[in-house]
Amino acid sequence: MPELPEVEITRRSLLPLMVGRKVERVVIRERRLRWPISPSLPKALEGQIVQGIDRRAKYLLIRAASGTALLHLGMSGSFSQVDRSAPVEAHEHFDLCLSDGPVIRYRDPRRFGAFLWTSRPVEQHRLLSKLGVEPLPVVAKDRATGGEATGAELGVSGDYLYERSRGRTAPLRNFLLDGRIVVGVGNIYASEACFLAGIRPDRAAGRVSRARYARLAEEIRAVLTAAIAAGGTTLRDFHADGQEGGFQLQLRAYGREAQPCLRCDGMIQRRVASQRSMFFCAGCQA
DNA sequence: CCCAAGACCTGGCGGC
DNA sequence: TGCCGCCAGGTCTTGG
């Protein structure tokens, strides 16, 4: 479930539940995530007031006075709000028990997620320091997140993508998934943005024109914004796990192999590169 | 530096 | 029904 829209929706869902509350207890049942959860993390976080929740790429940053918790949902992570007495289901690896409030429970069957703590400026963390630009404009209140690289304030720009792609022979889809270039564009939206921009995702990134990158940057912002808006509607009152509310993605290309193109009389086809599928219409993408 | 593959995991699905 | 292979929304790490 987690592409950037889902992570952003999760962030917004958690805000009213967590900000201003004290983390009374961190209960860890399974520490083997992408990296093992540090045994000292609960002590670091317990007793802290949550000052804010920011997002950098697909990392959620839970801010406290003495440090920051980094959370990543991996491929299958989600949060839900549960009663204190709720029975623990499979794959529910940890709880954040808040003062005077709900318990926030993390579930992650594949355990590719992460839960880390740093007491240093979080933007200097090794997982964040080399990340590329944010795809969407950074709003003023989130500035502290550190997404200050080229063009972050305006979201990703066509000129930036054009410059960074010169000389690259890998498929455009791979280029868009490269977090050192632009963050938050996952496999679904890479295909979707390419479809909307009329560019084949298997074209070499270095052989896409400046004008077409301008269009592509626009479509990346548009599709992510639309997905956040759609998810925001469905998940307004917090079911942080996306499958719950039948979150409709309105996909035009991704997952539609052998189905008719919605724009021309072609068929959507699937092609694998770097062991991952991409979907496009050979009729209207070039 | 660039690029592709490997690694980490579990679950759902279609086919036989 | 049961088993098997394939596929999955991520991304860090390694090796060429």
Side-chain angles (χ1 to χ4, degrees), chain A residues 128-279:
Chain A
L128 303 188
S129 63
K130 298 198 178 119
L131 292 176
V133 302
E134 290 288 329
L136 296 177
V138 176
V139 295
K141 69 181 178 58
D142 288 340
R143 281 292 176 77
T145 301
E148 296 298 320
T150 320
E153 295 83 355
L154 303 173
V156 66
S157 79
D159 283 344
Y160 171 80
L161 291 177
Y162 176 79
E163 301 297 344
R164 293 296 302 268
S165 63
R166 290 312 86 187
R168 292 199 175 229
T169 58
L172 175 60
R173 192 283 310 266
N174 293 29
F175 177 69
L176 294 176
L177 291 183
D178 186 341
R180 294 165 305 179
I181 308 296
V182 57
V183 300
V185 181
N187 203 34
I188 292 178
Y189 294 110
S191 276
E192 292 298 297
C194 287
F195 177 84
L196 292 168
I199 310 170
R200 279 179 62 133
D202 59 344
R203 170 181 285 269
R207 316 191 92 210
V208 173
S209 71
R210 189 186 288 273
R212 304 185 88 202
Y213 269 120
R215 174 72 187 282
L216 181 59
E218 211 172 288
E219 299 294 359
I220 288 170
R221 293 192 298 266
V223 74
L224 293 177
T225 302
I228 291 170
T233 303
T234 312
L235 304 171
R236 182 166 326 210
D237 42 20
F238 194 67
H239 300 296
D241 54 337
Q243 47 261 66
E244 175 83 16
F247 182 39
Q248 298 303 321
L249 291 172
Q250 304 179 18
L251 300 176
R252 297 169 175 88
Y254 187 89
R256 299 193 64 245
E257 181 179 20
Q259 293 178 49
C261 175
L262 300 174
R263 197 168 44 194
C264 73
D265 56 8
M267 287 278 225
I268 301 295
Q269 37 187 290
R270 179 172 85 104
R271 176 166 293 193
V272 174
S274 297
Q275 310 173 90
R276 306 194 73 188
S277 299
M278 49 191 162
F279 298 85

Side-chain angles (χ1 to χ4, degrees), chain A residues 8 11-12 15 19 51-57 60-61 63 122-123 134 136-148 152-153:
Chain A
E8 179 59 21
R11 185 183 76 87
R12 294 177 188 183
L15 279 174
V19 175
Q51 297 176 332
I53 306 174
D54 292 320
R55 178 185 57 75
R56 173 72 173 114
L60 291 171
L61 311 176
R63 309 251 184 202
V122 71
E123 54 278 6
E134 290 288 329
L136 296 177
V138 176
V139 295
K141 69 181 178 58
D142 288 340
R143 281 292 176 77
T145 301
E148 296 298 320
E153 295 83 355

